[in-house]
């Protein structure tokens, strides 16, 4: 966290707007690395900060690479708080206008389920993600065919499984940009593959070449 005085009028010491970021860089002031708080269900549903410009409650989120962002909602579509972007906040009669607040977060209405990414490992040509659902604590293993996992113990959202036990996952990368990948439920995929391998109809006959 920045230890100096307020970087600008009506800005707090860890403000992430473009002006404050550039001022810290040009002044040569170093920031002390701060441990990221543990992700919980409360942390994605209850705002943990207040905007110093419009005084609205917002979500302050950062990752282990040092990227920091204020969000109006912490989840897809990841709406960044307008007062902390490089663009000036909207004003009416000289006073900042707070962004509209919604009763139900967009991610909840769209069916996204929050989880934490624990770790990943390679299995053949697959990448296995180990996740923990925030609401229930249920542990999941999700197969993906792309190697783009989050960093550290990060927040990740997934859609409910479709009839083929496939899902869509979304998370923020090191630059706080949303990344979306496809995934398959590990145990269901494994049992389906095992059943196919044990099915005589899928085995080549003696002297017959496999088509694969």
């Amino acid at each position: 966290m920045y230890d100096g005085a307020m970087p600008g009028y009506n800005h707090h010491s860890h403000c992430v707007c473009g002006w404050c970021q550039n001022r810290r860089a040009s002044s040569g002031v170093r920031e002390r690395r701060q441990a990221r708080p543990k992700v919980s269900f409360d942390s994605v549903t209850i705002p943990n900060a207040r905007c110093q410009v419009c005084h609205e409650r917002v979500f302050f989120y950062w990752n282990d690479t040092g990227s920091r962002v204020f969000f109006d909602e912490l989840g897809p579509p990841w709406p960044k708080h307008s007062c902390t972007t490089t663009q000036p906040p909207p004003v009416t009669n000289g006073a900042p206008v707070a962004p509209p607040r919604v009763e139900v977060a967009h991610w909840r209405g769209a069916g996204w389920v929050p989880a934490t990414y624990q770790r990943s490992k390679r299995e053949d040509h697959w990448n296995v993600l180990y996740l923990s659902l925030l609401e229930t604590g249920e542990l999941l293993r999700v197969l993906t065919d792309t190697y783009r996992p989050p960093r550290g113990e990060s927040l990740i959202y997934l859609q409910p499984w479709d009839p083929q036990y496939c899902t869509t996952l979304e998370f923020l990368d090191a630059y706080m940009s949303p990344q979306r990948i496809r995934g398959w439920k590990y145990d269901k995929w494994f049992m389906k593959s095992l059943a196919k391998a044990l099915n005589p109809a899928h085995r080549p006959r003696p002297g017959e070449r496999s088509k694969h």
Side-chain angles (χ1 to χ4, degrees), residues 112-167:
W112 293 99
V113 179
T116 54
Y117 163 80
Q118 306 293 326
R119 62 187 178 90
S120 65
K121 71 173 184 178
R122 296 292 291 179
E123 286 192 8
D124 297 329
H125 300 293
W126 297 91
N127 192 34
V128 185
L129 306 182
Y130 290 77
L131 311 179
S132 175
L133 299 185
L134 289 183
E135 292 184 88
T136 64
E138 179 186 355
L139 300 178
L140 294 177
R141 285 183 295 176
V142 181
L143 281 171
T144 67
D145 56 1
T146 181
Y147 191 69
R148 290 188 300 166
R151 295 174 58 93
E153 187 176 343
S154 304
L155 181 63
I156 187 169
Y157 285 78
L158 65 155
Q159 285 286 311
W161 305 107
D162 68 12
Q164 302 300 319
Y165 297 101
C166 184
T167 185

Side-chain angles (χ1 to χ4, degrees), residues 1-22:
M1 184 180 293
Y2 178 58
D3 292 324
M6 264 191 188
Y9 176 73
N10 213 17
H11 292 238
H12 52 80
S13 60
H14 58 278
C15 180
V16 294
C17 76
W19 189 88
C20 291
Q21 296 275 31
N22 292 335

Side-chain angles (χ1 to χ4, degrees), residues 70 72 80-90 97 99:
F70 283 104
D72 289 327
K80 294 181 180 179
H81 189 61
S82 60
C83 295
T84 56
T85 63
T86 55
Q87 300 298 322
V97 176

Side-chain angles (χ1 to χ4, degrees), residues 37-56:
K38 186 176 181 63
V39 178
S40 66
F41 186 68
D42 285 346
S43 70
V44 302
T45 55
I46 303 175
N48 62 348
R50 189 179 295 277
C51 176
Q52 297 297 308
V53 178
C54 67
H55 307 294
E56 277 290 314

